[in-house]
Amino acid sequence: MNFVESRSLEFEYIKYDDETDSKMSVKALRGVDIDVKKGEFVAVLGRNGSGKSTFAKLINGLNTPSGGTLYVNGLDSSKEDNIWDIRQNVGIVFQNPDNQIIATIVEEDIAFGPENLGMEPSRIVKNVDMALKAVSMEEYRNAAPAYLSGGQKQRIAIAGILAMKPDCIILDEPTAMLDPQGRKEVMDTITMLNKDEGITIILITHYMEEAALADRIAVMNEGRIAMQGRPVEIFTRVEEMRSLHLDVPQITELAYAIHQKKPEFPKDILNIEEFIDAFKYIGCADDFSYVKENKAVKYNKPILEIKNLTHVYGMGTAFEKVAVKDIDLTVGKGDLIGLIGHTGSGKSTLIQHMNALVKADAGNVYFKGKDIFEDKAGLKFIRQKIGLVFQYPEYQIFETTIYDEVAYGPKNCGLSAEEIDIRVKDALKFVGIDESMYKKSPFDLSGGQKRRVAIAGILAMKPEILILDEPMAGLDPYGRDEILMNIKKMHDDLGITVILVSHSMEDIAAIADKIIVMNKGSVAMYDSVDNVFKEPDRLTSMGLNAPQLTLLFKRLRKEMGLDVPINVYDVDEAANILISAMN
């Protein structure tokens, strides 16, 4: 295919073989044929393992096609002499920011790329300032990246690419670890760079609301382009998206559910504004009213208590930072608690205190009434009873087989071989890993399967409390729903107390009974799901938000005077309420 000046990227039946070892070659891409125009904003969707990240690495020249032709700004990517020019013009932000940050000071890290491109010092300073402002990290200019949260590191990684001002920016799940306000800020920045600066954007994401902002969506499946078109063309094909283990924006799903029963209601709706316009056009009954009681919250016997907890990172140094301050919390036995907060609010620091991974500078943590640090010899017991699954739990995996991975914890507890076998099989069965997979390598599994194995490894320890730090981050909708169902099942069937950290308000609303809201190192709210989400303005002021359906129903009440509840989190329930309200 000859290069056309209006195009910045041209794929002509691209293939790529991922040779994971000398005996096995995985077909990562199986004939991708797509052009991306200069200045276009393209979102790439697909389940985990569909080839999205491989697609991105080919564009940046990190991988070379095993077949087909790829031109980047007219340069053939298969020719070694072109790679330097391609990488100057194409920046890439990876899923994990730790793989990109190399300097000890934030400002220096962002300046690293422009310096290597030979930019003038004055321009570097200007670009660094622009990039920091774009990701709202100005106040962290002189901070050490090592002391930042995962989401803050992600912003720094994005800023490092922005400062280089490339012609094309590829973003591989850049907002996976960001709070709702942070996601909006990054997407506003991406949109601005695309519209105002003419930068070509390729965004890989599992957030359908982000993809809806693009000019065009390409949906990948098994290494091929399965669908492509404008967002409204893709997202109105709801059943086809579901068949690919994907979903659509929640507002689009609601419109589709209403359209199924009321065909006069349009299904080509992507956001709340479009939905309200359509609903106003249809009209509603003047006397409609629907009352839904707030869900009653049980106050269970305390199992974990935190009193006056404070922790300071880098105390006495130039990098001193108060991570959590004067926290008082009580977690009841059998609670299912959602833990939310803006990026850097102290969520991860707080949960690491809960199972004694981090010792407080002041205050205490009590498990069943006993200070967890009272007896250092008892810390092993505490970590058995309070299990913690980290962000990207697949990084906890290191054994050669799935069985051995799950057996590692019980073995270190000195249990008998018989008891270990029972625990491993029970844990794997519970998370849906079949016995036929026991001898497989966990590294050959999909992202969702790896996380289930990591969770099984904690379950095999028979914890009384399970803490999960962003376990759904970076997963496709199908993998996310699998993990959510497993968490709910563990809580309901095993009676385990669960604390789930998430930036997805919809996920929290779907399964939690209570919510802890962290803000600037302190507990700002601790209440029922309904009571927390009925204050979206307060949540917004803390860099958070309420679920999309809550925001929609609140606006229907305000703008149309429609007497509907706002504590609605399920699409089918929302559809039934609104259908009843229609003329």
Side-chain angles (χ1 to χ4, degrees):
M1 184 185 293
N2 294 324
F3 178 66
V4 179
E5 198 60 41
S6 63
R7 294 171 181 161
S8 58
L9 299 170
E10 293 178 283
F11 288 77
E12 188 175 84
Y13 210 66
I14 290 294
K15 299 179 182 178
Y16 180 75
D17 295 342
D18 182 11
E19 297 184 2
T20 51
D21 60 45
S22 59
K23 296 181 180 179
M24 185 170 63
S25 177
V26 178
K27 296 286 183 184
L29 295 182
R30 301 167 180 265
V32 172
D33 200 343
I34 184 174
D35 292 344
V36 177
K37 295 179 181 178
K38 186 175 180 61
E40 191 175 14
F41 180 176
V42 177
V44 181
L45 304 177
R47 62 183 300 185
N48 293 108
S50 62
K52 304 185 302 298
S53 293
T54 300
F55 176 82
K57 290 175 183 176
L58 284 169
I59 298 171
N60 186 249
L62 292 176
N63 290 336
T64 303
S66 56
T69 309
L70 166 61
Y71 292 99
V72 180
N73 277 350
L75 301 173
D76 187 342
S77 67
S78 65
K79 295 182 178 179
E80 188 67 31
D81 292 347
N82 292 334
I83 295 301
W84 170 250
D85 290 329
I86 287 173
R87 290 179 184 164
Q88 279 188 292
N89 291 306
V90 180
I92 185 166
V93 179
F94 295 103
Q95 290 175 332
N96 187 350
D98 287 322
N99 295 337
Q100 289 184 261
I101 294 175
I102 51 100
T104 56
I105 302 294
V106 165
E107 184 178 53
E108 293 175 359
D109 191 84
I110 296 172
F112 181 80
E115 287 171 349
N116 278 274
L117 293 178
M119 285 186 187
E120 291 292 325
S122 60
R123 188 182 172 199
I124 292 174
V125 171
K126 181 180 177 181
N127 285 8
V128 168
D129 289 344
M130 176 279 297
L132 281 167
K133 184 177 181 180
V135 297
S136 299
M137 290 292 287
E138 300 103 311
E139 66 180 288
Y140 296 95
R141 175 188 294 271
N142 297 311
Y147 290 118
L148 300 181
S149 70
Q152 288 171 323
K153 290 178 184 177
Q154 188 73 289
R155 293 192 199 188
I156 297 306
I158 293 170
I161 298 298
L162 294 181
M164 297 167 67
K165 281 289 190 83
D167 293 331
C168 173
I169 300 178
I170 306 165
L171 302 111
D172 190 355
E173 289 284 346
T175 63
M177 301 303 297
L178 297 183
D179 55 58
Q181 186 60 36
R183 285 204 300 271
K184 182 182 183 303
E185 288 170 357
V186 169
M187 291 309 300
D188 286 347
T189 300
I190 290 169
T191 303
M192 178 272 292
L193 290 169
N194 175 248
K195 302 301 181 189
D196 298 347
E197 304 288 338
I199 294 176
T200 305
I201 300 291
I202 297 176
L203 173 70
I204 297 171
T205 183
H206 288 309
Y207 288 108
M208 303 302 142
E209 289 77 12
E210 293 180 357
L213 300 173
D215 300 319
R216 180 160 52 111
I217 293 174
V219 181
M220 296 193 68
N221 185 49
E222 296 182 351
R224 295 185 175 92
I225 302 293
M227 302 161 61
Q228 63 173 308
R230 293 181 299 115
V232 70
E233 294 170 340
I234 297 298
F235 286 139
T236 50
R237 296 158 72 176
V238 175
E239 297 302 331
E240 195 170 346
M241 289 290 281
R242 288 172 179 168
S243 72
L244 295 172
H245 289 175
L246 299 172
D247 58 12
V248 299
Q250 196 173 46
I251 297 300
T252 307
E253 187 180 0
L254 175 60
Y256 178 79
I258 294 174
H259 178 81
Q260 295 297 100
K261 296 179 181 178
K262 290 269 191 180
E264 65 269 29
F265 194 85
K267 62 179 180 178
D268 56 342
I269 288 174
L270 298 180
N271 54 55
I272 289 176
E273 285 71 24
E274 292 176 358
F275 189 99
I276 291 175
D277 287 344
F279 202 80
K280 285 179 178 177
Y281 181 80
I282 295 290
C284 60
D286 293 333
D287 60 348
F288 178 80
S289 179
Y290 188 100
V291 178
K292 181 181 178 183
E293 296 295 327
N294 282 355
K295 185 178 178 181
V297 177
K298 293 181 181 179
Y299 291 94
N300 299 315
K301 180 181 178 181
I303 188 172
L304 189 70
E305 295 172 279
I306 297 172
K307 297 185 184 296
N308 304 314
L309 186 75
T310 295
H311 188 85
V312 181
Y313 288 117
M315 186 180 288
T317 73
F319 303 114
E320 182 174 307
K321 178 191 173 186
V322 178
V324 293
K325 184 178 181 180
D326 297 330
I327 289 182
D328 287 291
L329 277 177
T330 298
V331 175
K333 182 175 175 59
D335 282 354
L336 203 171
I337 298 173
L339 176 56
I340 64 177
H342 60 82
T343 303
S345 61
K347 302 184 300 296
S348 294
T349 300
L350 174 61
I351 62 175
Q352 287 174 33
H353 281 83
M354 290 180 178
N355 80 335
L357 282 182
V358 176
K359 190 174 185 346
D361 294 310
N364 303 87
V365 180
Y366 299 91
F367 175 64
K368 292 185 172 180
K370 183 178 179 181
D371 189 329
I372 62 175
F373 278 105
E374 186 176 273
D375 176 16
K376 288 187 177 180
L379 291 180
K380 184 176 180 180
F381 171 79
I382 292 295
R383 290 168 187 154
Q384 289 175 35
K385 293 301 177 183
I386 306 175
L388 174 58
V389 179
F390 294 102
Q391 293 174 351
Y392 294 106
E394 54 265 41
Y395 294 165
Q396 293 176 243
I397 292 172
F398 57 89
E399 287 284 3
T400 56
T401 71
I402 292 171
Y403 185 97
D404 289 341
E405 180 62 39
V406 178
Y408 180 82
K411 282 180 181 177
N412 279 274
C413 293
L415 300 175
S416 67
E418 184 180 2
E419 176 63 19
I420 291 169
D421 188 62
I422 291 171
R423 289 197 182 196
V424 170
K425 289 179 177 177
D426 284 349
L428 285 170
K429 182 179 179 181
F430 198 86
V431 299
I433 300 293
D434 187 78
E435 199 164 336
S436 63
M437 299 177 68
Y438 285 2
K439 296 303 177 185
K440 288 188 176 181
S441 168
F443 300 103
D444 291 338
L445 302 177
S446 69
Q449 289 172 324
K450 285 178 183 176
R451 295 187 188 194
R452 283 191 278 155
V453 169
I455 291 171
I458 301 296
L459 278 184
M461 304 287 287
K462 293 201 171 179
E464 294 186 45
I465 300 175
L466 180 63
I467 306 166
L468 303 110
D469 191 1
E470 291 280 357
M472 287 85 70
L475 291 183
D476 58 49
Y478 183 80
R480 176 201 67 208
D481 291 344
E482 273 190 331
I483 296 296
L484 273 178
M485 286 189 292
N486 269 289
I487 292 169
K488 181 67 173 168
K489 193 169 186 287
M490 283 184 283
H491 172 264
D492 294 348
D493 295 359
L494 303 179
I496 295 176
T497 302
V498 176
I499 299 172
L500 171 65
V501 181
S502 178
H503 283 311
S504 170
M505 304 301 107
E506 288 74 21
D507 290 348
I508 292 293
I511 69 169
D513 299 318
K514 303 176 188 175
I515 297 177
I516 298 168
V517 183
M518 294 284 293
N519 185 43
K520 297 180 180 179
S522 299
V523 174
M525 303 171 74
Y526 185 18
D527 209 333
S528 68
V529 171
D530 289 344
N531 285 340
V532 169
F533 285 144
K534 76 179 181 182
E535 298 190 60
D537 293 339
R538 186 178 176 190
L539 291 172
T540 300
S541 72
M542 294 186 282
L544 300 170
N545 217 330
Q548 288 291 299
L549 294 179
T550 301
L551 297 175
L552 171 65
F553 274 55
K554 186 176 176 66
R555 286 188 57 180
L556 288 172
R557 287 175 66 94
K558 182 178 179 180
E559 297 178 25
M560 295 185 65
L562 191 62
D563 190 10
V564 290
I566 62 171
N567 58 337
V568 178
Y569 316 113
D570 178 76
V571 168
D572 290 335
E573 182 184 10
N576 290 333
I577 292 171
L578 296 181
I579 288 170
S580 300
M582 289 180 185
N583 285 326

